[in-house]
Amino acid sequence: MIKVTVPATSANLSVGFDCIGLAVDMQSKFTFEHNSNADLTISGCPSEFQNEDNLVYQGFKAVCNAIDQPVPKLSIQIHTNVPVSRGLGSSAACIVGGLVGANQWFDLPLNDQELLEIATKMEGHPDNVAPAIFGGLCMAFVDSNQQVQVVKYPVNKALQFVAIIPNFKISTAAARSVLPSQMSYPDVTHQVSHSLLMTHAVETGNLSQLKEAMNDRMHEPYRAKLIHHFDQIKAICNQFNSVLYISGSGSTMMAVTDQPTIKAQLVAQIKAAFPEWQVVPIMVDNHGAKSEVL
Amino acid sequence: MIKVTVPATSANLSVGFDCIGLAVDMQSKFTFEHNSNADLTISGCPSEFQNEDNLVYQGFKAVCNAIDQPVPKLSIQIHTNVPVSRGLGSSAACIVGGLVGANQWFDLPLNDQELLEIATKMEGHPDNVAPAIFGGLCMAFVDSNQQVQVVKYPVNKALQFVAIIPNFKISTAAARSVLPSQMSYPDVTHQVSHSLLMTHAVETGNLSQLKEAMNDRMHEPYRAKLIHHFDQIKAICNQFNSVLYISGSGSTMMAVTDQPTIKAQLVAQIKAAFPEWQVVPIMVDNHGAKSEVL
């Protein structure tokens, strides 16, 4: 039996729209076994996903195709706490789970970069699959040769994250539809310079610099309006001198502080205000997807 | 007598429009002495700049004002090889020269960050004055509190630069007028992701990554048309697998390679094709402005 663990991922980080993602230690677990009864059995997910269209299976199959091997009869078990359509990379986790599972199944014929290339084609963009594979904070894009370029930034241990997961979804399509199509030149320079400061502040763990850097003009001012109570969450974060960004296209928001005591206070206060929401103190996953043969 | 040395600076580096600059070891030298004959004497520059409007003197005066000291009677000598209006930060060098000279004159009351704040106000933007003060590759911008944020990236010693300085000027106004006012969202993400790869490649010295990163959509496609023979220079650089970017708003172009032999070949070939131009093999200045009391 093969067991795969894949971190959830939080994309954009304010000023890294569509090219930056962070791996966090909210894990999805997948097991893959020979199936003697049927071509495919999938458990651990809603019944509408228990078929060949399942992304974990699609990922597995993509590796089989890439290395020219027949797809084995499979029993796949999925165990995940990553909520769907909340901006925590649930689809990326499934794709990467399938890819890494198949790669382990066939004794690691592909390296991480090759897995990333396949994952990016399947997901359509690399900003969640890159940190899901490599861990940490990753900048990734498809270059002019159709290769995926990745820069991995080490995340300073001083930074403490809290995932604030509302009890409602935001569809990526809706989150895209509220965005303008153009930006002014000064705003582009703003985005470029602030993304450079953001990646630097994440490395150094300088919270006040991170706060200054996470000042987005590209998506957050528009998407914040789609997230009910965003302003209230923002006010709580400001009160504790912590930084808030929208994870992916929402609805999850991520708070960042550098004080464990403040982290605990943030969790308590937001939980009290929104008892229906999940408020999860969370660590960075610096390792990325892991696989083992049991 | 006080002697100040300030590096020339090459801004933008392709995908760092209006926020990134590189210090190079083409030095401007300034001396400051008590003047017993007149309030101000300036030598070493065209006569129209030998007056109180001179940027070196203006810089000196700005420090006097900041620390509430009267401006002394000064004799200023300027010795610079940095060509004017060629995209090598000649005005930034003068401003920083004056600031650093005055700071040394009064026994260093201000730190580099304070000098940067003054220099940025004088120059209007920090992308040349930041590397002129700090050296190396600097990203800099004025933040929401009107403070200048700077990230300094160490430049890998493997990278070799050649400054290609045409025998014609391009005014910053003309170079601005050819730019559009807006960019599409995918192009903004392109700029952000490529600037992150560029700063990374400069640190690691990975030339092929730098080549992929220096793929600008913001100013170079428009400004290249203002630089006669740009395409010919670009073709020579491609032939030697080196990267070319427009320094500041031009007319200077900067070629980057990682092979000293190729650097020499580039210089020879471009000099042969354009004997009226300056073609200067150049090193990065990692130290920034220096001052000493003689």
Side-chain angles (χ1 to χ4, degrees):
Chain A
M1 185 172 78
I2 283 160
K3 188 178 158 192
V4 174
T5 313
V6 184
T9 48
S10 171
N12 293 342
L13 284 95
S14 178
V15 286
F17 180 73
D18 272 5
C19 64
I20 286 182
L22 176 73
V24 292
D25 73 347
M26 181 185 277
Q27 306 295 346
S28 295
K29 288 173 185 160
F30 309 93
T31 60
F32 303 87
E33 286 182 278
H34 268 296
N35 193 335
S36 42
N37 302 317
D39 282 351
L40 177 64
T41 316
I42 302 178
S43 62
C45 65
S47 58
E48 69 260 39
F49 301 124
Q50 296 179 6
N51 55 52
E52 289 206 350
D53 294 334
N54 184 291
L55 285 176
V56 184
Y57 181 71
Q58 288 293 320
F60 198 101
K61 208 171 119 182
V63 166
C64 297
N65 293 343
I67 61 172
D68 212 15
Q69 289 284 338
V71 186
K73 291 182 171 191
L74 276 180
S75 171
I76 302 176
Q77 247 198 330
I78 300 172
H79 180 80
T80 179
N81 294 320
V82 181
V84 175
S85 293
R86 291 292 201 291
L88 285 167
S90 59
S91 67
C94 288
I95 291 168
V96 170
L99 293 172
V100 169
N103 200 42
Q104 182 69 66
W105 188 283
F106 294 103
D107 288 330
L108 310 175
L110 303 180
N111 63 30
D112 281 353
Q113 181 68 33
E114 290 166 319
L115 294 176
L116 175 63
E117 303 285 349
I118 301 173
T120 300
K121 284 203 184 87
M122 291 185 69
E123 174 90 334
H125 57 93
D127 31 328
N128 288 98
V129 293
I133 292 172
F134 292 100
L137 183 75
C138 290
M139 186 287 292
F141 68 89
V142 180
D143 74 13
S144 62
N145 299 310
Q146 301 307 311
Q147 302 291 299
V148 185
Q149 294 280 352
V150 185
V151 178
K152 181 176 171 180
Y153 299 90
V155 180
N156 194 291
K157 286 186 169 41
L159 298 179
Q160 313 275 323
F161 294 78
V162 177
I164 303 151
I165 310 172
N167 58 347
F168 52 84
K169 298 180 183 182
I170 289 178
S171 80
T172 303
R176 293 257 157 202
S177 73
V178 296
L179 301 181
S181 59
Q182 303 263 318
M183 285 190 87
S184 74
Y185 264 49
D187 282 349
V188 181
T189 293
H190 175 99
Q191 295 297 124
V192 170
S193 58
H194 284 66
S195 70
L196 288 160
L197 186 67
M198 184 270 282
T199 51
H200 180 73
V202 164
E203 277 195 70
T204 60
N206 183 327
L207 189 72
S208 71
Q209 225 169 27
L210 188 69
K211 203 166 186 175
E212 203 50 63
M214 284 192 160
N215 176 0
D216 176 71
R217 296 182 183 173
M218 200 164 174
H219 62 111
E220 294 206 336
Y222 309 100
R223 290 178 167 177
K225 294 174 190 159
L226 299 179
I227 303 173
H228 315 301
H229 309 295
F230 177 88
D231 291 343
Q232 201 177 333
I233 298 293
K234 179 85 178 168
I236 296 172
C237 289
N238 285 345
Q239 176 193 334
F240 287 102
N241 191 35
S242 68
V243 195
L244 186 73
Y245 72 85
I246 298 173
S247 183
S249 53
S251 57
T252 295
M253 293 153 279
M254 199 72 85
V256 195
T257 176
D258 59 357
Q259 304 289 333
T261 52
I262 286 183
K263 186 179 186 175
Q265 287 173 295
L266 268 175
V267 171
Q269 187 142 343
I270 298 170
K271 268 189 174 168
F274 299 97
E276 313 282 293
W277 294 13
Q278 284 185 67
V279 186
V280 188
I282 209 160
M283 305 288 286
V284 171
D285 179 309
N286 269 311
H287 306 294
K290 286 190 296 273
S291 60
E292 53 184 325
V293 185
L294 295 180
Chain B
M1 185 172 80
I2 283 159
K3 187 179 158 191
V4 175
T5 313
V6 185
T9 47
S10 171
N12 293 341
L13 285 95
S14 178
V15 285
F17 181 73
D18 273 5
C19 64
I20 286 183
L22 176 74
V24 291
D25 73 347
M26 180 184 278
Q27 307 294 345
S28 294
K29 288 173 184 159
F30 309 92
T31 60
F32 302 87
E33 285 181 280
H34 269 294
N35 192 335
S36 42
N37 303 318
D39 282 350
L40 177 64
T41 317
I42 302 177
S43 61
C45 65
S47 58
E48 68 260 39
F49 301 123
Q50 296 179 6
N51 55 53
E52 290 207 350
D53 295 332
N54 185 291
L55 284 177
V56 184
Y57 180 71
Q58 287 293 320
F60 198 101
K61 209 170 119 181
V63 166
C64 297
N65 293 343
I67 62 172
D68 211 16
Q69 290 284 336
V71 186
K73 291 181 171 192
L74 277 180
S75 171
I76 302 176
Q77 247 199 329
I78 300 172
H79 179 80
T80 179
N81 294 319
V82 182
V84 175
S85 292
R86 293 290 202 290
L88 285 167
S90 59
S91 68
C94 288
I95 291 168
V96 170
L99 292 173
V100 170
N103 201 41
Q104 183 68 66
W105 187 283
F106 293 104
D107 289 330
L108 309 175
L110 302 180
N111 62 31
D112 281 353
Q113 181 67 33
E114 290 166 320
L115 294 176
L116 175 63
E117 304 284 348
I118 301 173
T120 300
K121 282 202 185 88
M122 292 184 68
E123 175 89 336
H125 56 92
D127 31 327
N128 288 98
V129 292
I133 291 171
F134 292 99
L137 183 75
C138 289
M139 186 289 291
F141 67 91
V142 181
D143 74 14
S144 62
N145 298 311
Q146 301 306 310
Q147 303 290 300
V148 185
Q149 294 280 353
V150 185
V151 178
K152 181 176 171 179
Y153 300 90
V155 180
N156 194 290
K157 287 185 169 45
L159 298 178
Q160 313 275 322
F161 294 77
V162 177
I164 303 151
I165 310 171
N167 58 346
F168 52 85
K169 296 179 184 182
I170 290 179
S171 80
T172 302
R176 292 256 158 204
S177 73
V178 296
L179 302 181
S181 59
Q182 303 263 319
M183 285 190 87
S184 74
Y185 264 50
D187 282 349
V188 181
T189 292
H190 175 99
Q191 295 298 123
V192 169
S193 58
H194 284 66
S195 69
L196 288 160
L197 185 66
M198 184 271 281
T199 50
H200 179 73
V202 163
E203 278 196 69
T204 60
N206 184 328
L207 189 71
S208 70
Q209 223 169 30
L210 188 69
K211 202 165 188 178
E212 202 52 61
M214 284 192 159
N215 175 1
D216 177 70
R217 296 182 181 174
M218 201 165 174
H219 62 111
E220 294 207 335
Y222 309 99
R223 289 177 168 177
K225 294 174 190 158
L226 298 179
I227 303 174
H228 316 300
H229 309 295
F230 177 87
D231 291 343
Q232 200 176 335
I233 298 293
K234 179 84 178 169
I236 295 172
C237 288
N238 284 344
Q239 176 194 334
F240 286 103
N241 191 35
S242 68
V243 195
L244 186 73
Y245 72 85
I246 299 173
S247 183
S249 54
S251 56
T252 295
M253 293 153 279
M254 200 71 86
V256 194
T257 176
D258 59 357
Q259 305 288 334
T261 51
I262 286 184
K263 186 178 186 174
Q265 288 173 293
L266 269 175
V267 171
Q269 187 142 342
I270 299 170
K271 268 189 175 167
F274 299 97
E276 313 283 293
W277 294 14
Q278 283 187 69
V279 185
V280 188
I282 209 160
M283 304 290 286
V284 171
D285 179 308
N286 270 311
H287 307 291
K290 286 190 295 275
S291 60
E292 53 185 325
V293 184
L294 296 180

